[in-house]
Amino acid sequence: MTISSRRIRKIYSSLDKDQIKLVIDKKIEGKLEIQQWLEKLHKLAVMDTLGDDSRKKSGELSIIFGLITAFTIILTISKPFMFFFPVGFFLLFFYFLIMYITLNKIDIGNNLRFFIVPLLEHFKEENRIDGPVFLNMDFSNPKNRKNIIHQTVDPERQRKLFQHHWMQGEMMFTDQVMISWKIVDTVTDYGKNLQEKAGNRDLKKKNLVTHQLDLVFHVPKKRFDIEKPGPEVKDAGNYYEMNLNRSDTSDSLEVGMMPETFLEAVREGYHYIRKKEVSI
């Protein structure tokens, strides 16, 4: 625990102004080369991994020492000479509680390390990106009050619906195909009392999260033809525009869209276009 906390403090003290702003505001927007993005985000991903583990342990230990403190206080009623036990356990409870609160403040949504960083690393390894990549990301809690789009009033059927537009981006591949996208997480919070079924799915779990990807291919007409019928294609002057949609689901706010879902959409887009033959 102590080693992890020291590493977190060391990483945090080495962050630049933009990185600290991301930790505090949970938001970042910019247009950088892919290597620059990785340099900026990788350190934060490591810090968040350490923070999640330490925060969980701190929360568990604060509960344990809180209960022990309460028990020893009751015990000292009949045995006052043991007063130093509740004092010691209270100090441990207070220490881990403060650590939990502090780590919770610098927590960043898991989409950073589970989705963004792996995706950028994949494209870097393939060496397919031409020029800077635009990213606009919001790693705040999807279940923020401002994201509520629907709420039931029946206490026996509590349900809240949140919609979190957490990402949009744009990048160009080396073949001059440009893609732009946005990702929206829709969270259904079923509360503590709801015991119902939707279709054949038993929705006893508290959250159901749908991750929706809307991706647009901007295909240069000079370089490509439309290979086969597929998604709706629009004529946009010098480009064809082709919309592709993907979605996946999870039952935890800790799990976001999988990078493979995004990559499958990119592969599908290329399935519908064909590079023009160069005439000699």
Side-chain angles (χ1 to χ4, degrees):
M1 175 67 68
T2 304
I3 294 175
S4 295
S5 301
R6 287 176 180 172
R7 288 187 64 190
I8 293 168
R9 287 196 293 268
K10 184 176 181 180
I11 293 174
Y12 187 82
S13 64
S14 69
L15 300 180
D16 62 26
K17 183 172 66 174
D18 290 339
Q19 290 169 320
I20 292 175
K21 182 176 175 59
L22 169 56
V23 172
I24 296 172
D25 297 340
K26 317 301 182 189
K27 298 178 181 179
I28 188 169
E29 179 178 358
K31 195 169 186 179
L32 302 171
E33 298 292 334
I34 197 165
Q35 180 59 34
Q36 292 175 306
W37 274 119
L38 286 171
E39 290 172 356
K40 188 175 291 290
L41 299 179
H42 188 268
K43 186 183 294 185
L44 295 172
V46 173
M47 187 181 77
D48 189 56
T49 301
L50 295 170
D52 279 0
D53 182 60
S54 295
R55 184 173 57 256
K56 181 180 178 180
K57 291 179 180 176
S58 296
E60 292 171 349
L61 288 171
S62 66
I63 293 173
I64 291 171
F65 285 116
L67 293 173
I68 294 176
T69 300
F71 174 76
T72 53
I73 288 174
I74 296 173
L75 188 63
T76 55
I77 294 175
S78 59
K79 299 179 180 180
F81 65 89
M82 298 180 64
F83 72 93
F84 54 87
F85 280 105
V87 172
F89 287 124
F90 175 78
L91 291 175
L92 288 170
F93 159 75
F94 186 74
Y95 170 78
F96 287 112
L97 178 63
I98 293 300
M99 183 178 291
Y100 173 82
I101 294 172
T102 301
L103 292 172
N104 200 50
K105 287 182 178 179
I106 65 172
D107 181 43
I108 305 171
N110 287 348
N111 283 318
L112 171 65
R113 71 176 194 264
F114 289 152
F115 182 81
I116 298 299
V117 171
L119 196 67
L120 293 175
E121 287 176 339
H122 171 85
F123 285 123
K124 181 190 175 185
E125 289 175 3
E126 288 198 339
N127 196 27
R128 292 183 58 192
I129 306 303
D130 183 19
V133 177
F134 169 76
L135 296 175
N136 182 1
M137 300 173 289
D138 181 353
F139 298 110
S140 61
N141 189 341
K143 290 170 64 174
N144 190 300
R145 183 178 295 274
K146 66 181 177 62
N147 295 329
I148 295 178
I149 59 173
H150 179 72
Q151 182 173 358
T152 58
V153 295
D154 185 349
E156 294 302 318
R157 296 173 59 83
Q158 295 178 21
R159 181 182 297 181
K160 293 180 182 178
L161 196 65
F162 302 82
Q163 199 165 73
H164 184 41
H165 298 251
W166 75 268
M167 185 186 189
Q168 65 183 71
E170 183 177 289
M171 65 173 64
M172 181 175 288
F173 294 120
T174 52
D175 57 14
Q176 302 306 296
V177 171
M178 185 176 72
I179 61 172
S180 58
W181 69 91
K182 65 178 181 179
I183 304 177
V184 178
D185 284 356
T186 302
V187 182
T188 306
D189 184 337
Y190 291 98
K192 297 180 180 179
N193 300 324
L194 181 63
Q195 301 288 330
E196 68 169 353
K197 291 185 177 181
N200 294 324
R201 183 181 178 89
D202 189 1
L203 294 177
K204 294 181 180 179
K205 294 191 176 181
K206 185 171 176 57
N207 297 302
L208 179 66
V209 189
T210 301
H211 317 284
Q212 178 68 44
L213 166 68
D214 296 319
L215 187 147
V216 181
F217 263 70
H218 306 269
V219 185
K221 293 180 178 179
K222 290 183 178 180
R223 290 173 172 262
F224 292 89
D225 290 318
I226 301 301
E227 173 72 5
K228 60 180 69 176
E232 180 182 354
V233 178
K234 297 180 181 178
D235 190 321
N238 295 326
Y239 290 83
Y240 298 112
E241 287 188 358
M242 181 168 53
N243 291 75
L244 297 166
N245 301 305
R246 279 285 191 279
S247 66
D248 55 24
T249 60
S250 61
D251 55 23
S252 171
L253 297 177
E254 302 300 313
V255 181
M257 174 171 280
M258 296 294 101
E260 185 59 27
T261 303
F262 187 98
L263 296 175
E264 283 180 359
V266 173
R267 286 193 288 266
E268 180 185 351
Y270 273 96
H271 182 70
Y272 295 113
I273 62 177
R274 173 173 49 84
K275 202 166 188 177
K276 288 185 175 181
E277 295 181 4
V278 179
S279 58
I280 301 176

